[in-house]
Every structure is written in structure tokens, then in C-alpha cells.
Amino acid sequence: MSEASAPHAADRRELTAAQRNAVAELLRVSPVADELGRRFVRAGHELHLVGGSVRDALLGRLGDDLDFCTDAHPDETLRILKGWAESIWETGREFGTIGAQRDGLRLEVTTFRAESYDQVSRNPVVVYGTSLDEDLKRRDFTINAMAVSLPEHRFTDPHGGLDDLSAKVIRTPSTPGESFGDDPLRMLRAARFAAQLRFAVHPDVHRAMTEMAADLDRITAERIRDEFTKLLCGADPITGLRLLVDTGLAERFLPELTGLKLEIDEHAQHKDVYEHTLTVVSNAVSHEDDGCDFVLRMAALLHDVGKPATKAVGSDGRVSFHHHEVVGARLTKARMKAMRYPKEITAKVTALVALHLRFYGYGRGEWTDSAVRRYVADAGDLLPRLHKLTRSDCTTRNRRKAAQLAADYDALEDRIARIAAEEDLARVRPDLDGNAIMELLGVPPGPVVGRAWKHLKELRLEHGPLDRDAAEVELLRWARAEGLVD
């Protein structure tokens, strides 16, 4: 570190503490890492712990996934690993990466790289580099451009990553324009690291993200999806989401989020629906039981995306968004499909968006037991998440109103529990199965059985469970009305 870039005295104490943490973390894995380093040295090659592994070690949170770089090419790396690693995989071989497992640690060893984009294609062109310095310079951010050489534990930090780690700032090794020009996904990664680490982006990085946002169009939907998922699952997703909107990046792949910024909330409790949405996401995070619940967070983010299309101003000046949950569910499904999310994840998020308003009105005493059964049946396995989303959506600053909404939802959950205990509400189904329907009506498998089953389920939802005799009477009554029996 040059004298000009040396930190203040107070920072030296902080960095020394950070380095002590790093040493402790590295010692935890060093028997494996050092042993691997010695194998590479004996084979005439270098091995360095790099990237997120060094960053996380300095933060005192090194995990069990370790990243290394080397001058050895993949074939040579394979020869070094064989007979030592417990298992080996080559799924990243085209990018110069060989994976291995040893003593519970997942190791990825990548040949020095000097990859770049041709400014047109969507995928990087991988060119092997020749030195550690060249490899570190091509990395996305300075906090990921540090290395620990093995087995001697020599620390290399040519771009001031340690200073930036202490200052909690995200900066690029080369100019932001060069870095983002090589890989535009790095702009989204900057927002992701801001969310994960609670760091701020350097003003030059923020400026480049704004000026080059359109370059994100060169990146495949799958790569954008994966980075966005990590961002939303970060410790502070709100910071990351604000960066996406403020820089214009959200407009490139999630324009519905930016669109919310223009819509005024009907209760005037926030300056716009965008701010309300960010509050709901923050609330949803606080309601999680253990780790990130992506489905819940995504539903919180998209629950009001139908408002811009349904905005109406009444004669009294009040703003309304009638049926925005229906429109929002349709928009959610389309957007998540465009982002290449799996169908099952998309279906869950879409269902939560469609259901998020169902609760309102319960406090007016309008719900029968039938309505409660339908609420549970429509939510299905999503009911626990729907509970959390509905509670997260209560962002009113009126304390009395907030307390009343919370009490109403407490009452609904208590009512659900009571009815569930009486009726096995978690598995609402007809009182006669398909075999019983076919036997009683004398019909073969086919559409008639499906229609009869649906009719009996509606009765079950409306009136609760029926005994066998009563269910058979109702089925025959329906069959006669349908002209199926005399």
C-alpha cells in the first residue's frame, strides 16, 4: 500500500482487527488450502485464494466455498486434483474452472483469466491470462480483487480493496466504464453487493451505472435473474432496489418497479406507491422465520404493480385502484416469465399477488365461515406466506388504524385455527371421492365425475363437512338437476 493511500490511524486499528479476523478464518481452512497450494507448487504452478473468499475472510465470515486462481490450465488442474480431491466436477471447464470437494469444503480452481466482451455479444470471451495481477485487474470490484498466495499466505492487494472494505464502498479496479463495458452485468452486481454487504457504491460507479444502464440489454435474462434474486435476498434489499431505480437499471428488466414511483397511494400515507412497496418488502423481511424467503419478498415487491394501470380519480378527488390485484397478478406472471423464473416459483408469487387484498373487509364482519374456508382453500400451501404478506402490507402511519388491522388479522387467524381444528381445513375436499361418485351415479371416469366433484367441493366450502348420507343426497339432487339420473 503506498503512503499516499495509507488509511488514517483509526483505520489502521480497524484494518488490523480485520486482518486478525482474516488470519483466524484462513487458519480454519488452511490445512486443506495449504495442502492444495503445496500440490500446485510441486507441479510447478501458482495457487491463490481470491475473490469473495478473501473478502469474506477479511469480514470474518468465510464460508465453506473457496475460490482459487492459478496459472495452471484446466487439464493440469485436473491432474493435480485427481487422487487428492474426494470428488471433482468439470461443469465450469469452458470458463477455465474445475471444482472439487475435500474435507467438507467446496473448492473452485480457475485459470488466470483476461476475459472481455466484444461489446456486442451476450457472453464473455474467455482468454487465459498469464499473471495474478492481470487476473485481479479484470475482476469486478476492488473488494473482490485481493488474493492470498498459498501456501505462504502472502497478501496481494494492488487496487486498494482493503481500504474500500474498511470504508464500505464499492469501487472498480479499472475505470467503471471499462469494467462495465467488459461485462454490463457488473452494474447489477454492484447493486447486489450493496444489498448483501450494506455498502455504498462510489460516486463514479453510480454515474457509470446511470450512463450505461442500456448496456444491460446485452445480458441474458437468466444471468440478470440470478443476480436480481441474490439482490432481493440480500441483508438490505431496499438499498439495492433503490440503486436499480435511481440508475435506470430497473427500467431495463423490471420496469414495473420504476412505474410505481409515479403513482400516489390512495390513502396519502406515503408520497407514492413506490415508497409503500419498499416498506412492504422491508416488513416482509422482518416476518421471515429463517433465511431469505424469495417467494415472499418477490410477492411483496410486486403486490401493487397493477396500480398504475388501474388508477382512477373520483369526483371527490380520491384516488382508487380497483381490481389492481387482478391486473397485478397478470403483470407479475408475464414479468417473471420474461425473467425466466421457474413456473412453480412464478405461480406462487402470482397467487400471492392475486390474494393480497382478500383480507380487507374482514374487519367489517362480512365474512361467513364459508368465506374463511375459501380463503384457506385458495391460498393452499401459501397460507403462511399470505399471512405474512398481508401483515407486511399494513403500512399506515395511523396507529389506531394499524392496531385495528392487526387485531382483525389476529381474529382471522384464530378463526381459521378454530375451523381447521373442527373440519381438517388444511385439506378441504369433497365428502365423496371419485370412486364413490362413479358408483352412486353409475358413470365411468370422465368429465361428469369432475363436474360432480367440483359441485361437492363447493358444498363443502359453503356448508362445511357433510356426513356420507347427506353428501349422497346432495349428489343425487345435483345429478337430477343435470339430467343424469331420473
Side-chain angles (χ1 to χ4, degrees), residues 115-119 124 174 177-184 186 218:
E115 70 183 26
S116 65
Y117 279 69
D118 61 10
Q119 308 298 316
S174 57
E178 290 175 317
S179 181
F180 298 156
D182 279 346
D183 186 354
R186 289 173 175 172
R218 289 161 43 197

Side-chain angles (χ1 to χ4, degrees), residues 393-412:
D393 196 22
C394 176
T395 62
T396 178
R397 295 173 183 172
N398 184 318
R399 292 185 179 181
R400 192 173 81 173
K401 184 177 180 181
Q404 185 60 58
L405 285 169
D408 288 345
Y409 209 84
D410 286 342
L412 174 58

Side-chain angles (χ1 to χ4, degrees), residues 221-237:
E222 290 80 4
R223 294 183 74 208
I224 291 174
R225 173 202 64 204
D226 292 346
E227 283 297 327
F228 177 74
T229 300
K230 293 174 184 176
L231 183 157
L232 194 59
C233 279
D236 180 19

Side-chain angles (χ1 to χ4, degrees), residues 303-479:
H303 79 286
D304 274 350
V305 294
K307 282 189 171 181
T310 57
K311 179 181 177 181
V313 181
S315 58
D316 60 356
R318 287 179 62 84
V319 177
S320 64
F321 303 97
H322 295 304
H323 305 301
H324 76 266
E325 75 281 12
V326 177
V327 175
R330 186 172 68 247
L331 292 173
T332 294
K333 183 177 181 180
R335 177 54 55 198
M336 292 189 70
K337 180 179 180 181
M339 293 178 71
R340 304 292 195 270
Y341 278 102
K343 289 181 179 178
E344 61 272 19
I345 299 297
T346 298
K348 290 177 180 179
V349 175
T350 300
L352 286 171
V353 172
L355 291 169
H356 84 273
L357 278 187
R358 183 77 69 86
F359 160 72
Y360 294 95
Y362 177 79
R364 296 194 296 267
E366 300 171 354
W367 282 35
T368 62
D369 282 356
S370 172
V372 175
R373 293 187 195 99
R374 291 179 187 278
Y375 186 75
V376 174
D378 289 346
D381 293 340
L382 293 173
L383 185 62
R385 285 190 176 109
L386 182 57
H387 289 334
K388 294 174 183 177
L389 177 60
T390 303
R391 290 185 182 276
S392 298
D393 196 22
C394 176
T395 62
T396 178
R397 295 173 183 172
N398 184 318
R399 292 185 179 181
R400 192 173 81 173
K401 184 177 180 181
Q404 185 60 58
L405 285 169
D408 288 345
Y409 209 84
D410 286 342
L412 174 58
E413 288 201 54
D414 289 344
R415 193 170 172 188
I416 289 172
R418 175 182 60 78
I419 298 175
E422 296 171 355
E423 304 179 9
D424 190 17
L425 197 54
R427 296 190 301 160
V428 173
R429 57 192 182 280
D431 297 286
L432 299 176
D433 62 17
N435 289 329
I437 290 170
M438 289 187 288
E439 182 180 351
L440 189 62
L441 299 184
V443 296
V448 169
V449 178
R451 285 163 48 206
W453 190 93
K454 184 177 180 180
H455 173 72
L456 289 173
K457 182 177 180 181
E458 288 297 314
L459 287 175
R460 174 74 165 76
L461 288 169
E462 188 67 30
H463 302 293
L466 303 173
D467 62 32
R468 174 94 183 189
D469 291 342
E472 290 182 352
V473 168
E474 291 295 337
L475 176 61
L476 289 172
R477 180 181 293 126
W478 172 83

Side-chain angles (χ1 to χ4, degrees), residues 158-375:
H159 305 288
L162 201 55
D163 289 349
D164 291 340
L165 199 65
S166 176
K168 297 185 177 181
V169 65
I170 297 170
R171 196 168 55 85
T172 55
S174 57
T175 68
E178 290 175 317
S179 181
F180 298 156
D182 279 346
D183 186 354
L185 189 68
R186 289 173 175 172
M187 295 185 286
L188 189 51
R189 284 171 62 82
R192 189 251 285 189
F193 281 121
Q196 285 186 330
L197 302 176
R198 300 182 188 273
F199 281 17
V201 298
H202 190 277
D204 291 345
V205 172
H206 192 287
R207 188 178 306 112
M209 290 167 69
T210 304
E211 294 172 352
M212 301 176 67
D215 285 12
L216 194 64
D217 296 347
R218 289 161 43 197
I219 304 302
T220 62
E222 290 80 4
R223 294 183 74 208
I224 291 174
R225 173 202 64 204
D226 292 346
E227 283 297 327
F228 177 74
T229 300
K230 293 174 184 176
L231 183 157
L232 194 59
C233 279
D236 180 19
I238 307 306
T239 292
L241 293 169
R242 287 192 186 279
L243 266 173
L244 294 182
V245 172
D246 293 347
T247 58
L249 285 167
E251 190 66 31
R252 313 314 304 185
F253 69 95
L254 190 59
E256 293 82 2
L257 177 59
T258 304
L260 295 176
K261 206 173 177 66
L262 307 176
E263 301 302 318
I264 305 302
D265 188 273
E266 67 267 36
H267 301 301
Q269 61 206 35
H270 300 281
K271 64 180 181 181
D272 55 32
V273 177
Y274 169 71
E275 291 295 332
H276 163 74
T277 294
L278 295 184
T279 301
V280 175
V281 173
S282 182
N283 290 345
V285 172
S286 70
H287 284 301
E288 290 173 338
D289 298 321
D290 183 25
C292 173
D293 184 342
F294 173 77
V295 168
L296 176 62
R297 293 192 187 193
M298 193 66 166
L301 182 66
L302 300 178
H303 79 286
D304 274 350
V305 294
K307 282 189 171 181
T310 57
K311 179 181 177 181
V313 181
S315 58
D316 60 356
R318 287 179 62 84
V319 177
S320 64
F321 303 97
H322 295 304
H323 305 301
H324 76 266
E325 75 281 12
V326 177
V327 175
R330 186 172 68 247
L331 292 173
T332 294
K333 183 177 181 180
R335 177 54 55 198
M336 292 189 70
K337 180 179 180 181
M339 293 178 71
R340 304 292 195 270
Y341 278 102
K343 289 181 179 178
E344 61 272 19
I345 299 297
T346 298
K348 290 177 180 179
V349 175
T350 300
L352 286 171
V353 172
L355 291 169
H356 84 273
L357 278 187
R358 183 77 69 86
F359 160 72
Y360 294 95
Y362 177 79
R364 296 194 296 267
E366 300 171 354
W367 282 35
T368 62
D369 282 356
S370 172
V372 175
R373 293 187 195 99
R374 291 179 187 278
Y375 186 75

